[in-house]
Amino acid sequence: MRGRFAKSLISVGVVLLTCVAYFVAVYVHYGSSYRSVCALLFSREMLLSFLFIAIIWSFAESILKLNEVYRSRPYSYILVLHIIEGAVGVSVFLMAISILGLPNYGRSVTLLFCTLSVSFSFFAKVLFYHALRTMRRKGRNMRNVVFVCDSSGERLIALIRRHFEWGYRIVGIIGDDYMVRKFENVLPVYPIGSVDIESVLSQKVDDLIYARKQLDSNDITHVQDICSDLGITFRLCSSFLNRMSSNAYVRYFDTTPVITVSDLPSNYPELLVKRFVDIVFSLCVIVCGFPFFAVIALLIKLDSPGPVFFRQKRSGLRGREFGVFKFRTMVVNAEALQKDLMAKNEMSGPVFKMTDDPRITRVGKLLRKTGVDEFPQFLNVFIGDMSIVGPRPPLPKEVAQYDRWQMRRLAMKPGITCIWQVAPNRNNISFEDWVKMDMEYIDNWSLTLDFVLILKTVGTIFRADGK
C-alpha cells in the first residue's frame, strides 16, 4: 500500500512541477500580455495545457518507471531518464496543443519549458532521495533481510553492507560452513540444515534472499512457501539467472507461467516509445529535408546516367527480406562488376568493402563520406521495415555465410545507425568485431542508448570519414 501511495505521490509531484515549469516559461516571455498573473494562470488555454501535461507526464513517469522509489539507482541514471521524459513529453505536448488549436508560444518558450521541467523534476527527485537516504543512515525506512546462501551470496552481502543508505539491514544469514566461518563474528549466522528457517523469519523480517550455486527446486519451493505464509518478499539470486541475462521474464500460456528468455528487448512500453520516435523523427526528416534531397537528386542525375535511388534487397528482423532505399552512389551495373573486384575486398567475412572502389561515382564519394546516401532509408523507418537505431541490414547472400552466433544480429529490427557507425575507427573494424558491436547494442538496448547513438551519429556526419 505504501509503495502504491509513494508512486502516486511522485507522479503527482512531477506533474505539478511540470505545470509550474510551463507556466513560468510562458510568463517569462508573454506575461506582460495578460492583466495579471492570475489572468494567465486561470486562462482557458493554460488550464487545458495543464490537463494535457498531467496526462502526458503521468504516462511518461509510468513507462520510464520514474515513479518507482529506487533504493540503489545512481543519480546519473535518473537524470538521463528525466531528459528523455522531457524531450518526448514536450514533443507529444506540442502535437497535442497543435491538433486542438491551442497557442504555440514558439521555440524559446518550448526550450525553456523543456529545460525547466527536466531541472525541476530531477532536482526534486534528488532532494527526495537525499532525504530518504538520510533517514536510512539514521536507521529509519529500513528493510530487514535474511540470506539463505552459500559463497555465491558473499558479494551481494558485501554490497548491501557497504551501501547502508540503500535501506537494507541484514539480520541473519542461513548458510553453509564457509559462510558461518566468514561472518560468525560480524552478523547472526545459522548453519543451514540445523536451524528452523521459519523461526528465523518470524523476527520482523521483510525480505529473504536465496543465493545458492545449486538450485534445488524442492528447497526453493519450501522456502518460498514459508515466505508467502509470513508475508515476506522472496528474492532469488543465482549465477544461472545471470547467464540468462536481463531478458528473462514470465509469460503465461493460459494460466501456466513460463520463464522466457528472449534475445530481443521485451519492455513493450519502451519499444512503443521507440516506434513512436521512429515515426515522428522520420516524418520530420522526409518533410523538412525534401528541398535538400531534391538538390542531391539533381547532382546524381548530372553526375552519371541512371536512377536517383537505388533499391536493394536486404535481410531484416529474423531474416525477413525487404527493399532498402538509398541514394545511388555507384554506376548502374555495380553489382555485376563486384565479382571482378572480390580479390581486393578489405573486409573479413561475407561483407565487401574496398577503398577507392572504381564503381563509386564522384557525387557518390561525397554522399558516402557524410553518410547522406542513407537518408532515403528514413522512408523504410516510416514504413516500419527499419528503425533509426539498430544493426545495419545485411544482404541475403551475406546472411547465408553467417556463423550461427552471428545470426543473432538479425534478432532486432535493423537501423540506419548503430554502435559501429559511430566508432572513430569504423573503417578499420573487422566484420567479427562489427557483429560483436551489434550484439552489444542488442544486449544493452535502452531508449537512453538510442538517444546517445543518434547524437553521436550527427557528429559522425560532420566528421565525413566514411567510405
Side-chain angles (χ1 to χ4, degrees), residues 11-32:
S11 295
V12 170
V14 168
V15 167
L16 290 176
L17 288 172
T18 306
C19 289
V20 171
Y22 183 68
F23 174 78
V24 170
V26 174
Y27 184 77
V28 166
H29 289 84
Y30 297 99
S32 58

Side-chain angles (χ1 to χ4, degrees), residues 150-151 154 175-183:
D150 51 25
S151 59
E154 184 178 354
D176 56 12
D177 293 340
Y178 171 82
M179 297 302 287
V180 171
R181 292 193 303 270
K182 180 74 176 180
F183 292 100

Side-chain angles (χ1 to χ4, degrees), residues 141-161:
N141 190 234
M142 303 292 290
R143 294 185 68 86
N144 294 331
V145 180
V146 166
F147 272 81
V148 175
C149 65
D150 51 25
S151 59
S152 62
E154 184 178 354
R155 181 179 176 276
L156 183 56
I157 291 173
L159 196 64
I160 290 176
R161 294 185 65 211

Side-chain angles (χ1 to χ4, degrees), residues 156-428:
L156 183 56
I157 291 173
L159 196 64
I160 290 176
R161 294 185 65 211
R162 185 164 66 248
H163 292 280
F164 192 72
E165 73 278 5
W166 288 356
Y168 295 104
R169 181 193 294 115
I170 301 175
V171 296
I173 298 174
I174 303 173
D176 56 12
D177 293 340
Y178 171 82
M179 297 302 287
V180 171
R181 292 193 303 270
K182 180 74 176 180
F183 292 100
E184 62 182 347
N185 297 321
V186 181
L187 294 166
V189 185
Y190 309 93
I192 197 165
S194 60
V195 66
D196 182 13
I197 294 179
E198 185 173 346
S199 64
V200 176
L201 296 182
S202 300
Q203 303 172 15
K204 299 180 180 178
V205 175
D206 300 296
D207 299 75
L208 180 141
I209 299 179
Y210 189 100
R212 304 190 70 183
K213 293 177 183 177
Q214 300 297 325
L215 297 182
D216 184 330
S217 60
N218 292 328
D219 188 40
I220 291 175
T221 301
H222 172 65
V223 175
Q224 188 178 10
D225 285 343
I226 295 173
C227 290
S228 179
D229 292 339
L230 297 176
I232 294 172
T233 301
F234 175 85
R235 303 181 189 274
L236 180 62
C237 175
S238 168
S239 57
F240 171 71
L241 296 178
N242 293 338
R243 289 177 59 190
M244 290 200 303
S245 82
S246 60
N247 291 329
Y249 53 93
V250 176
R251 281 288 181 267
Y252 286 86
F253 288 79
D254 195 8
T255 58
T256 303
V258 178
I259 294 180
T260 304
V261 183
S262 173
D263 53 7
L264 272 174
S266 57
N267 190 319
Y268 181 73
E270 286 194 7
L271 290 171
L272 195 62
V273 172
K274 179 180 174 69
R275 179 59 187 147
F276 172 79
V277 172
D278 283 343
I279 294 173
V280 174
F281 194 87
S282 60
L283 184 60
C284 289
V285 171
I286 293 169
V287 174
C288 299
F290 183 78
F292 176 61
F293 298 154
V295 172
I296 293 176
L298 179 61
L299 292 175
I300 292 173
K301 275 293 187 182
L302 293 174
D303 183 49
S304 64
V308 171
F309 297 103
F310 175 65
R311 191 170 185 268
Q312 188 179 46
K313 187 177 290 186
R314 296 291 183 101
S315 294
L317 180 64
R318 304 294 186 193
R320 295 177 178 88
E321 295 182 358
F322 69 99
V324 70
F325 298 101
K326 299 178 70 174
F327 281 122
R328 182 174 60 84
T329 59
M330 291 186 172
V331 295
V332 175
N333 61 336
E335 291 189 312
L337 296 174
Q338 181 176 317
K339 62 179 181 293
D340 298 326
L341 301 171
M342 290 303 296
K344 299 181 179 180
N345 186 14
E346 299 171 1
M347 289 288 287
S348 59
V351 177
F352 180 87
K353 278 190 179 293
M354 173 185 173
T355 303
D356 298 324
D357 192 325
R359 301 173 299 163
I360 302 176
T361 64
R362 290 172 299 175
V363 172
K365 288 182 179 179
L366 177 62
L367 296 180
R368 287 188 169 218
K369 276 185 171 293
T370 57
V372 173
D373 59 316
E374 311 284 359
F375 271 45
Q377 289 168 35
F378 280 104
L379 182 58
N380 290 110
V381 174
F382 184 76
I383 293 171
D385 293 326
M386 294 177 62
S387 180
I388 295 173
V389 185
R392 290 295 297 155
L395 295 167
K397 64 180 180 180
E398 295 172 352
V399 175
Q401 301 176 57
Y402 279 7
D403 294 332
R404 187 181 70 179
W405 71 273
Q406 295 168 339
M407 293 295 294
R408 199 161 70 86
R409 75 187 298 256
L410 302 177
M412 196 166 183
K413 188 179 291 187
I416 295 176
T417 186
C418 203
I419 295 177
W420 175 82
Q421 279 72 19
V422 301
N425 61 334
R426 59 180 174 144
N427 295 314
N428 301 316

